[in-house]
Amino acid sequence: MAEQSGPALALEADDIWAGYNGRTALEGVAFNIETGCLAGLVGPNGSGKSTLLRLILGLHKPWRGRIRIFGSGARPDRLRLGYTPQTEQVDWSFPVTVLDVVLMGRYGRLGPLRRPTATDRDIARQALESVRMADLADRRIGELSGGQQRRALVARALAQEADLLLLDEPLSGLDATAQHDLINLFEGLRHQGKTLLVATHDLSCVAADFDHAILLNRKVVAFGRPADVFTEELLNATFQRHLLLVRLEDRTYVGHD
Amino acid sequence: MTEVLDYVSDPWTLEFMRRGLIAAVMVSAVAAVIGCFVILKGMAFIGDALPHASFGGVAAAFVLGANLYLGGAIAAVLTALLIGFVSRRALLKYDTAIGILFVGAFAAGILIISRRTNYTPDLFSFVFGNVLGVSWSDVWTTAVVAAVILVLVVLFYKELLFVTYDPSMAAAAGLPVAAVQYGLLALIGVTTVIGLQTVGIVLVVALIVTPAATAQLLTRRLPAMMAAGAAVGVLSSLAGLYVAYYADVSASAAIVLTATAFFFLAFLFAPGRGLLWQRGFSPAGRV
């Protein structure tokens, strides 16, 4: 990545309106994320987190508004954007190995009719190495644990050599140890200069380990440092009726959803 | 010893048996390769629908005096693309779209031939298949179409794999997902048409689904699954034709039932994944 003076922005969203079939999912969403930052996209189910990630990826068009990626309003090299879908959206019974899946991260760079080369395989293996799964390369994906599944998907984004990683609910359904491992991995990637935007409804992980939080419920309720935005008032505005428990340092908040 | 050899070689002294074998082997191999994508995407219903839909085109071509396969292929590919279009637009659920379109096209076929009752015996070979009635020109047509399908699968393997496995990630990586999905549907349509003469409309779905499903139980990766599926299809054709020859039964039914028998063998005995294996040897019972 090029040397930057000052806090270069990885992602800027400006007055984004979007939805499906006439139903509004996002209303005037605006925020920005600095390069090299671990950001949480926090909100209840149906708050538009996945829609926002799809908009950033260019898989869905906004009705209005602009998204700038690494300072450019033009669609950047889309391979700088890595993506991990929700695990429920992945077919884990498919007959592919972990290495096959990670190699798919290279496919976008290959272009039509070209096969992965030895270099692509090396890069895929290095990506597996960096998520500490090199020994599982030849495992069938259906044989992975929940935490290994998430790390395999992250490895695919790394094999793509993406700089901005968009992760849809990577923390959900994991036990505390696996969550901890995954967050350690995220922090390691941030140290390498990657920017991560992690959609989650797990507030305690974001509060403890993330640089930045975006509270989303169709609108951006707040964005900033978790310590600043995780207030009872803002969390209530975000989660509304959804009941949840939030621990911040030694305080416990009960929000209702 | 020579008696046994006679038993083995006897059927192939007849030219129509040789032609039938060549056609069945090619069709079953290609159908199994395409069938891998069909079953991995849970599209078995499409494998049943497209041959039926192609009957509308076959009947129309018959009345117009055009090439029957071409008519069938056009109808099958059009139906496949329409199914893809309707379901991509999420106007209807996938299986509802299939149900409406394929029965409509099949009914059109019946309607057309009901005006021409004197010719229907020819068309019935498309319904139930007549592998022993294929001509050398049918064999050549099948060979060319089968080769084109296999070449396309090899050339676009990377795209087919990625789009079948994870379409949203493939789209994010810049692959032409819609084109690949439509292309796959068209390949399924063409595959069903070359299966028509071999096993007929009613049974062609078995050549697409059964060998591929058998292979899925026996393999770990997609390329191996395709190769094993093709092998199961070829073996089923060979064994089915022997059964048909010596038991004097329908060749298409014998081929399909042989494939079904292979599937049940794999279902029971597949290492690590067969039913008996899970019960007997694997304490975890993982699939």
Side-chain angles (χ1 to χ4, degrees), chain A residues 54 57 59 78-79 83 85 90-97 100-101 104 107-108 110-115 138-143 156 160, chain B residues 37 40-41 89 153-162 164-166 168-169 171-175 216 219-223 225 273 286-287:
Chain A
R54 291 178 61 82
L57 284 165
L59 297 179
R78 67 197 317 157
L79 299 170
Y83 171 57
V90 176
D91 180 359
W92 297 103
S93 68
F94 208 87
V96 280
T97 62
D100 289 331
V101 171
M104 289 178 195
Y107 285 8
L110 287 172
L113 304 182
R114 297 211 11 235
R115 311 237 138 191
D138 297 322
R139 197 62 80 78
R140 249 178 88 116
I141 49 158
E143 298 164 356
R156 182 170 63 177
Q160 190 187 306
Chain B
F37 294 107
L40 289 172
K41 285 305 275 180
R89 289 296 163 99
V153 169
V154 170
L155 283 180
F156 294 102
Y157 174 76
K158 166 168 70 69
E159 285 78 9
L160 286 168
L161 170 67
F162 202 178
T164 309
Y165 174 61
D166 188 347
S168 64
M169 179 65 204
L175 273 76
Q216 191 180 21
T219 55
R220 294 170 53 83
R221 293 182 68 232
L222 184 55
M225 180 176 163
R273 274 176 283 171
R286 273 186 81 180
V287 177

Side-chain angles (χ1 to χ4, degrees), chain A residues 40-45 49 169-176 179-180 183 198-210 213 215 226 230 235 239 244-247:
Chain A
L41 179 59
V42 178
N45 290 330
K49 300 192 295 288
E169 298 285 359
L171 297 165
S172 68
L174 294 183
D175 62 36
Q179 277 194 349
H180 183 76
I183 286 180
V198 180
T200 180
H201 44 244
D202 192 314
L203 294 178
S204 40
C205 286
V206 177
D209 303 295
F210 283 41
L215 299 185
F230 281 13
L235 289 175
F239 285 87
L244 77 146
L245 204 70
V246 189
R247 280 183 294 276

Side-chain angles (χ1 to χ4, degrees), chain B residues 8 11-12 17 20-21 24-25 28 231-245 254-255 258 262:
Chain B
V8 172
W12 317 120
M17 285 294 289
L21 178 69
V25 159
S28 54
V232 169
V234 167
L235 276 177
S236 304
S237 296
L238 188 63
L241 284 174
Y242 274 114
V243 170
Y245 182 81
I255 291 171
T258 311
F262 279 127

Side-chain angles (χ1 to χ4, degrees), chain B residues 205-217:
Chain B
V205 62
L207 285 193
I208 294 175
V209 172
T210 312
T214 310
Q216 191 180 21
L217 293 169

